[in-house]
Amino acid sequence: HTDYAMTVNNLGYLYESMGNYADAETLYKQALAINKALFGNTHVDCAMGYNNLGALYETMGNYLAAESMYILCTNTYKKAIGTDNPNYAKSLNNLGGLYKNMSNYAKAESIYFTTLKIRKKVLGETHPDYATSINNLATLYEAMHQYAEAEPLLKQSLTIYKKSYGNEHPLYASAVNNLASLYKSMKKYSEAEYLFKERSE
């Protein structure tokens, strides 16, 4: 039953949070197998199962296995709900983050651009998820030492988060931290100091 599959999946998530990756993997696979049997391979619940396994493998440092699962996730969402959908965009974002961690910056940039385009179309330019895409692209540029491209994007994401959540939300604080870290990398120490102090107050 689908409710049993959800319970198995949730237990797997608990084990993952505890660092018990072997049992988490077993349970995620079990939940996925149940949903495949119930709904077939192209259902959104299967996409979620692939994503959970991908995130687990990424946490474990098994990037090739994570890539395989994330690609299955995006392809399944594409078949089930199409590309103009927040869940499809989220799955792409996760794949882009993996490529960034793998230092495959060209693939990460391409995927982040696609995610940004979808979120702009579906959610609009004032939505926090759009800000997240901007922020992710900016931190990628920082990793690539393209500071001039990163700075305006981080400022834009900061503005959106502030309007959406106020200046006491964790996402706003994280964006402030990212901009401060960028200024530190750029050797703009006074600007970095100001922002780090803002975040700590």
Side-chain angles (χ1 to χ4, degrees):
H1 192 279
T2 182
D3 288 347
Y4 179 74
M6 183 179 296
T7 301
V8 170
N9 182 81
N10 290 344
L11 184 57
Y13 183 74
L14 173 65
Y15 284 144
E16 181 181 357
S17 301
M18 296 167 63
N20 187 347
Y21 299 143
D23 286 341
E25 180 183 13
T26 298
L27 290 169
Y28 282 153
K29 287 182 174 179
Q30 183 183 352
L32 179 60
I34 295 169
N35 285 322
K36 281 184 177 181
L38 288 171
F39 306 118
N41 294 338
T42 59
H43 193 270
V44 292
D45 286 355
C46 293
M48 291 175 60
Y50 292 132
N51 180 77
N52 291 342
L53 279 168
L56 174 65
Y57 291 142
E58 184 175 4
T59 299
M60 294 169 66
N62 189 346
Y63 291 154
L64 291 179
E67 180 185 21
S68 176
M69 289 297 106
Y70 281 148
I71 289 173
L72 280 170
C73 176
T74 57
N75 288 340
T76 303
Y77 271 132
K78 186 175 182 178
K79 292 176 182 177
I81 57 179
T83 57
D84 289 339
N85 187 281
N87 286 330
Y88 176 73
K90 185 176 181 180
S91 69
L92 277 181
N93 184 72
N94 292 341
L95 181 59
L98 174 67
Y99 285 136
K100 179 187 174 186
N101 289 337
M102 295 170 69
S103 298
N104 192 336
Y105 297 144
K107 280 189 176 181
E109 183 181 25
S110 176
I111 289 173
Y112 279 157
F113 269 127
T114 302
T115 305
L116 189 66
K117 182 179 179 181
I118 294 170
R119 285 176 167 168
K120 181 179 180 179
K121 179 180 179 181
V122 175
L123 302 173
E125 296 182 54
T126 59
H127 195 279
D129 286 352
Y130 181 74
T132 297
S133 284
I134 294 172
N135 184 79
N136 290 343
L137 186 58
T139 56
L140 174 66
Y141 285 143
E142 182 180 4
M144 297 167 68
H145 305 291
Q146 296 181 9
Y147 302 142
E149 289 83 354
E151 183 179 6
L153 293 173
L154 285 174
K155 288 181 176 179
Q156 185 180 358
S157 69
L158 193 65
T159 299
I160 297 170
Y161 283 139
K162 186 173 184 178
K163 288 182 178 179
S164 298
Y165 298 125
N167 59 6
E168 295 184 0
H169 193 275
L171 284 175
Y172 176 80
S174 178
V176 171
N177 184 73
N178 289 342
L179 184 57
S181 296
L182 175 67
Y183 284 144
K184 181 182 176 183
S185 298
M186 297 171 71
K187 302 187 185 304
K188 293 184 176 181
Y189 297 128
S190 60
E191 291 92 334
E193 180 184 17
Y194 173 81
L195 290 173
F196 279 133
K197 285 181 176 180
E198 179 184 349
R199 184 175 183 270
S200 64
E201 291 176 353

